[in-house]
Amino acid sequence: MTEPTHDEAHSGALGSRLNWLRAGVLGANDGIVSTAGLVVGVAGATDDRAALLTAGLAGLLAGSMSMAAGEYVSVSTQRDSELAALAMEKRELREQPDAELEELTGLLEERGLTRDVAREAAVQLTERDALRAHARVELGIDPDELTNPWHAAWASFLAFTVGALLPLLAIVLPPAQVRLAVTVVSVLAALVITGWSSARLGAADPRRAVLRNVAGGALAMGVTYAAGSLLGAVGV
């Protein structure tokens, strides 16, 4: 009787890990594209290494902090909702245990168990840990793996920073005559990798994901370079 719950917990944990990996890949992708667009745009206006480094560092810090803050707020809201749902479920179990047992039985029936088997399973799960049973079956929440806003914030910060370092280093380290070409090639290659990785983690077609990723990054760099070149030409 307990094996489905055991498998479900493992499946949920695996899904959670895959979501974190996908979020990390997408965060790195954001760092690559946004920083590449910024430094390539500045490179269209000037070839001064100090200006490029300043712009790149500013974009890296602003972007990583923004990502971290946004993720912290978002995940904090999710965690608050999870805690509120668990508190309500705990109160309902205390005030109306019979109704909650019947509800759990019905939920297990909806998953394909017969009435008698569902009732027996519900009774056993309730006797073992009623709140945990309802949290997993009814709410889809694992009380042992509640979302952590600080983990999410640090993960987003690090993922964006790692992604942003590539275009930043590519634009400031090579000689002036090749730095733009090195940056464009490096960024497009990195976008191929992140596009393929995100598609594989999501069990999607890698070719379409890579094409979208590369096209979006190329468009971003093209637009910002054209804008930087125009501003540089008019002396702004």
Side-chain angles (χ1 to χ4, degrees):
M1 289 299 176
T2 59
E3 288 182 2
T5 304
H6 182 70
D7 292 342
E8 181 183 347
H10 277 73
S11 176
L14 176 59
S16 177
R17 287 194 294 270
L18 289 177
N19 285 336
W20 279 109
L21 286 172
R22 192 178 301 116
V25 170
L26 295 177
N29 190 78
D30 287 343
I32 293 169
V33 174
S34 61
T35 307
L38 178 60
V39 296
V40 167
V42 175
T46 179
D47 61 357
D48 182 68
R49 191 186 302 270
L52 293 170
L53 179 60
T54 300
L57 280 175
L60 185 155
L61 292 173
S64 60
M65 293 300 294
S66 175
M67 287 284 291
E71 195 69 14
Y72 179 83
V73 171
S74 174
V75 175
S76 292
T77 301
Q78 179 183 345
R79 183 182 178 87
D80 290 344
S81 298
E82 291 173 344
L83 290 173
L86 289 173
M88 179 179 294
E89 195 64 37
K90 187 175 183 179
R91 183 174 64 252
E92 290 175 349
L93 285 167
R94 183 176 62 252
E95 295 175 353
Q96 44 188 8
D98 293 338
E100 289 298 299
L101 178 60
E102 181 61 32
E103 182 181 33
L104 183 58
T105 301
L107 290 170
L108 292 174
E109 279 189 275
E110 291 176 2
R111 296 192 174 193
L113 299 180
T114 64
R115 172 69 183 182
D116 290 342
V117 174
R119 184 70 176 188
E120 181 182 351
V123 169
Q124 290 187 22
L125 290 172
T126 299
E127 290 175 349
R128 176 171 297 181
D129 191 326
L131 180 59
R132 187 182 304 278
H134 280 266
R136 289 178 171 174
V137 178
E138 180 182 349
L139 304 176
I141 298 174
D142 188 340
D144 296 328
E145 296 187 14
L146 295 180
T147 51
N148 188 311
W150 285 109
H151 290 172
W154 277 111
S156 295
F157 178 88
L158 292 174
F160 188 97
T161 300
V162 169
L165 281 174
L166 173 67
L168 175 59
L169 295 176
I171 202 71
V172 299
L173 293 182
Q177 60 270 23
V178 298
R179 63 170 53 128
L180 185 60
V182 170
T183 301
V184 171
V185 171
S186 300
V187 166
L188 294 181
L191 292 177
V192 169
I193 295 173
T194 58
W196 182 87
S197 300
S198 62
R200 296 299 296 174
L201 288 170
D205 183 1
R207 293 169 297 181
R208 297 179 62 182
V210 168
L211 181 60
R212 288 194 300 264
N213 228 26
V214 170
L219 179 62
M221 290 187 289
V223 170
T224 56
Y225 182 78
S229 299
L230 179 61
L231 292 174
V234 300
V236 177

